[in-house]
Amino acid sequence: MIERSLPAGMAGGDTADAAFIAGRLLQVRERLSAVNGEGVRVVAVTKAHAADVVAAAIDAGCTDIGESYAQELLHKNRELLADCQNRPQVHFVGGLQRNKIRKLASIVDVWQSVDRLDLGEELARRSPRARVMVQVDLSGEQAKRGCPAEKVPDLVARFADLGLDVVGLMGIGPTGAPEKARPGFAMLRGLVDRLGLSECSMGMTADLEIAVQEGSTMVRVGTCLFGPRPSRRRKIEQ
Ligand SMILES: *Cc1c(COP(=O)(O)O)cnc(C)c1O
């Protein structure tokens, strides 16, 4: 079992302590190892956490961070990432809006949540040869977005025609018991193989073991590293 409680004096969302995060990262690696996932990449999802948490995550050895909100990422870029010595790879994992792409183009390294042709077109215009992943709908839950599985091969081909570097597919498991995610994860891995892609981004705090058992190459975890996310109402001033 992973230790879910936070040390005394450390409220959720206040986990800007590199040693603490390093311990949590080790626990994630142990969870991965337990399902033979030693080689799986860990994307530390820092969305909704302040820039000092991102700084601590970098100090703790996180090489990849995930962000979901355009304004917040722009803010963190100004605060921290723009001149950061150990700049991590920045993965955009949230709902992508076409009109935000231009400003984010120089900050984002991997666009994991591309699920429509018009987003790919705008990316090709603003960030030629951008590294992208097609987000696939695994749950049918509207809020989680994603391209329907049957349309993925065509979208991947169109993105390649646009000159984008399509490295893989991304999916979010359904809400509920982790085991419920298994069929969708298996389907996603099947699509990755069928299309000859390399990356299969699936698995979050609750379901990373299932994802690795089904062939994940990259998990995206926030809560198990940083504790609960602070309410977005306490938003960073722009
Ligand atoms: C927030 C988020 C995560 C991290 O979720 P946790 O349950 O906190 O690990 C992973 N992927 C995406 C796309 C997210 O939006």
Side-chain angles (χ1 to χ4, degrees):
M1 278 310 289
I2 49 161
E3 177 62 72
R4 283 178 197 280
S5 61
L6 297 167
M10 198 174 262
D14 236 346
T15 50
D17 179 277
F20 176 73
I21 296 169
R24 288 293 188 89
L25 187 57
L26 198 64
Q27 290 176 340
V28 171
R29 297 242 170 257
E30 283 165 3
R31 286 178 66 187
L32 292 173
S33 296
V35 285
N36 300 317
E38 287 86 355
V40 172
R41 186 176 284 267
V42 175
V43 176
V45 179
T46 44
K47 69 169 183 219
H49 290 287
D52 59 343
V53 176
V54 182
I58 295 167
D59 288 345
C62 295
T63 56
D64 295 78
I65 64 159
E67 289 284 343
S68 292
Y69 310 110
Q71 289 307 319
E72 191 185 303
L73 177 52
L74 290 169
H75 172 81
K76 288 172 181 172
N77 188 56
R78 283 192 301 270
E79 289 281 298
L80 173 76
L81 297 168
D83 44 21
C84 173
Q85 285 194 337
N86 288 318
R87 191 182 181 280
Q89 292 269 296
V90 177
H91 298 250
F92 196 83
V93 301
L96 190 54
Q97 286 170 283
R98 200 187 147 90
N99 61 359
K100 299 284 164 55
I101 289 176
R102 183 177 57 82
K103 280 188 171 168
L104 294 177
S106 62
I107 304 172
V108 173
D109 298 292
V110 187
W111 304 83
Q112 290 212 14
S113 48
V114 194
D115 60 359
R116 299 193 317 262
L117 183 60
D118 69 313
L119 296 172
E121 286 170 344
E122 181 67 2
L123 275 167
R125 197 171 302 135
R126 304 296 183 184
S127 184
R129 292 178 298 284
R131 239 187 302 162
V132 304
M133 306 180 82
V134 171
Q135 182 177 347
V136 183
D137 180 8
L138 302 185
S139 67
E141 293 166 40
Q142 209 71 74
K144 291 180 177 161
R145 301 170 303 273
C147 175
E150 65 275 13
K151 295 191 172 154
V152 170
D154 183 54
L155 196 58
V156 167
R158 302 273 215 116
F159 285 175
D161 289 344
L162 288 166
L164 296 171
D165 181 11
V166 187
V167 295
L169 306 180
M170 183 271 257
I172 304 175
T175 304
E179 193 60 41
K180 267 178 61 189
R182 193 180 293 281
F185 287 165
M187 182 275 285
L188 190 69
R189 179 64 214 210
L191 261 179
V192 165
D193 291 340
R194 201 179 115 203
L195 297 171
L197 302 172
S198 50
E199 296 291 350
C200 185
S201 172
M202 58 190 193
M204 311 191 346
T205 291
D207 55 19
L208 70 84
E209 283 88 358
I210 312 279
V212 170
Q213 286 166 350
E214 296 302 328
S216 172
T217 64
M218 189 185 282
V219 293
R220 310 173 309 270
V221 290
T223 309
C224 61
L225 291 176
F226 309 115
R229 280 178 280 278
S231 156
R232 284 203 77 221
R233 251 168 273 137
R234 242 182 59 196
K235 254 187 68 166
I236 299 161
E237 298 304 323
Q238 302 305 328

